[in-house]
Amino acid sequence: MRKVHAWIVVIGLGLIVSGCQSGEASEKTLEITFGHNQPLMSPEHAGAEAFEEYVESHTDNVDVNVYPASQLGSLREQVEATQLGEIQLTMQPTAMIAPFVDDIKVVDLPYLWPPDTETKYKVLDSEVGDEILATLDQGGFEGLGFWPGGYKLITTSNREIHEPSDLEGVTIRTMESPLLLAQYKQWGANPVPVPYSEVYNSLQLGIVDGQENPLQTVYLNNYHEVQENIVETYHGTMTYAMIANQDWYNDLPSELQEILVAAEEVGRNEAREVLAENEAEYRAELEASDKNFYSFTEEEIETFREASLPVHETEYNEPGQQELLQKIYDKIEEVSSNQ
């Protein structure tokens, strides 16, 4: 990345010198700060690098600086910094954006999405997905697209999970999301918000009994080292939204906005491809380990789904929210029937 930036600086200096010699003013380099929380080896970072490469190869004076692994602060702090315009772009879980824009939490409703990745992607990339993104302007954000994180799993230290009653009294770490807290309370668990950076230690010390995260997060952060049961529950997705400070975005020339939109699609698709490749590898590693790794049956998924539907009504209960939720239900059914 530094080599690319250095090259851009050299070219930029050359243009300045050339402009001065010809008596013409040179356009100043535009710096774009793009922060996210995922590690260097993650699909999200691969997508961020593809985004950076696309923007810089299609412009003469734009420099994208990507800061992975929470270098710019916690997940919530990066969302807030984007809202305030301290950074221009971030990619964060929708559950972390929900405290700033309540409507976006629809993406995280339990058992909203069928256990089929392509169906989920087609809905999120459709006009209904655009409507969900449009709600982000309520918080001063420009929603550019939905990035993948994978279906979330539940891991526990000492209890197998097959039905909601198995979670009775289990202390589960979640993100700081009222919706996720309500979800686990509905299932009888004891949810506890714990910062992302403290999850491993909390599991290791027994402060919490388990947690929820996608397969890649469990594997890359070594949560399986301190958890005995790893369950593919398909209860929800870790969906990321790429968001920009809206005032900053609206002030950009339309040509540059078009380049950012195209770059977002390139980055999103790269992240999805890398995730698919990595998940197969991580799943094989966990299946070959001494951990109790298993997936819910269709019957177990249906039992949990039925137990989760009240959360759809109580936590997404405004008239406008229920209207948007119905559109999502309908789009999921349409896409599923055409598969």
Side-chain angles (χ1 to χ4, degrees):
M1 190 187 304
R2 291 177 179 174
K3 289 182 180 178
V4 174
H5 292 168
W7 178 80
I8 291 174
V9 170
V10 170
I11 296 297
L13 289 174
L15 289 173
I16 291 173
V17 172
S18 175
C20 290
Q21 290 175 343
S22 63
E24 297 177 358
S26 176
E27 193 172 358
K28 184 179 179 182
T29 297
L30 173 66
E31 299 278 346
I32 298 178
T33 300
F34 177 10
H36 67 85
N37 67 295
Q38 289 295 79
L40 291 172
M41 298 299 293
S42 67
E44 291 84 358
H45 187 62
E49 289 185 313
F51 173 89
E52 174 188 16
E53 181 180 354
Y54 185 94
V55 172
E56 293 181 348
S57 66
H58 285 75
T59 58
D60 295 323
N61 65 317
V62 179
D63 191 1
V64 179
N65 300 294
V66 179
Y67 295 89
S70 298
Q71 293 179 30
L72 299 183
S74 69
L75 285 66
R76 183 186 177 97
E77 287 170 344
Q78 290 186 66
V79 176
E80 185 171 21
T82 303
Q83 185 183 51
L84 296 173
E86 296 171 355
I87 63 177
Q88 288 75 53
L89 294 169
T90 193
M91 173 183 50
Q92 296 297 336
T94 51
M96 294 307 302
I97 304 173
F100 300 85
V101 180
D102 189 61
D103 286 356
I104 198 68
K105 68 186 180 185
V106 68
V107 177
D108 297 293
L109 288 172
Y111 287 99
L112 171 65
W113 305 104
D116 179 78
T117 300
E118 289 307 310
T119 296
K120 177 184 66 174
Y121 287 164
K122 287 180 180 179
V123 175
L124 290 174
D125 294 344
S126 72
E127 70 284 353
V128 174
D130 291 340
E131 284 194 50
I132 302 172
L133 285 173
T135 66
L136 292 168
D137 64 7
Q138 301 168 21
F141 303 109
E142 183 70 26
L144 298 177
F146 291 110
W147 287 42
Y151 284 89
K152 293 184 287 187
L153 297 79
I154 295 176
T155 71
T156 64
S157 58
N158 57 10
R159 188 183 296 189
E160 284 198 15
I161 306 299
H162 295 280
E163 57 186 34
S165 61
D166 293 331
L167 283 166
E168 288 285 345
V170 177
T171 302
I172 295 285
R173 177 268 171 182
T174 72
M175 288 184 283
E176 190 178 345
S177 161
L179 173 60
L180 297 182
L181 296 174
Q183 163 190 295
Y184 279 100
K185 289 177 181 177
Q186 174 69 20
W187 296 339
N190 178 27
V192 178
V194 174
Y196 183 62
S197 60
E198 299 174 17
V199 175
Y200 185 95
N201 286 341
S202 296
L203 295 170
Q204 185 179 41
L205 297 173
I207 296 172
V208 293
D209 302 317
Q211 60 86 46
E212 64 161 31
N213 259 304
L215 184 61
Q216 61 153 341
T217 303
V218 171
Y219 187 86
L220 293 175
N221 289 282
N222 297 311
Y223 296 159
H224 54 290
E225 293 180 347
V226 288
Q227 297 278 269
E228 291 302 315
N229 303 291
I230 305 167
V231 195
E232 289 191 299
T233 57
Y234 297 101
H235 68 277
T237 68
M238 183 68 75
T239 298
Y240 289 77
M242 185 175 183
I243 56 177
N245 175 276
Q246 193 169 58
D247 289 340
W248 169 82
Y249 182 84
N250 287 339
D251 285 341
L252 295 175
S254 59
E255 296 83 358
L256 182 51
Q257 289 180 356
E258 292 174 2
I259 290 172
L260 294 181
V261 169
E264 184 279 326
E265 184 175 359
V266 169
R268 179 206 324 159
N269 289 334
E270 175 69 12
R272 289 176 179 179
E273 291 177 11
V274 174
L275 176 64
E277 296 169 2
N278 288 0
E279 280 193 326
E281 176 187 343
Y282 300 153
R283 184 176 288 104
E285 292 280 349
L286 291 173
E287 287 175 339
S289 72
D290 61 351
K291 301 301 179 180
N292 183 24
F293 182 88
Y294 61 97
S295 299
F296 272 1
T297 65
E298 291 184 6
E299 293 76 13
E300 288 169 338
I301 289 174
E302 183 59 25
T303 297
F304 262 91
R305 192 187 72 82
E306 289 295 331
S308 304
L309 289 178
V311 178
H312 293 209
E313 297 178 2
T314 60
E315 299 301 314
Y316 209 70
N317 55 9
E318 297 294 329
Q321 292 179 337
Q322 283 290 305
E323 181 180 348
L324 179 56
L325 179 57
Q326 187 59 52
K327 290 182 180 180
I328 299 172
Y329 288 154
D330 294 342
K331 192 65 178 181
I332 291 172
E333 183 177 357
E334 174 191 330
V335 172
S336 298
S337 63
N338 292 330
Q339 292 285 79

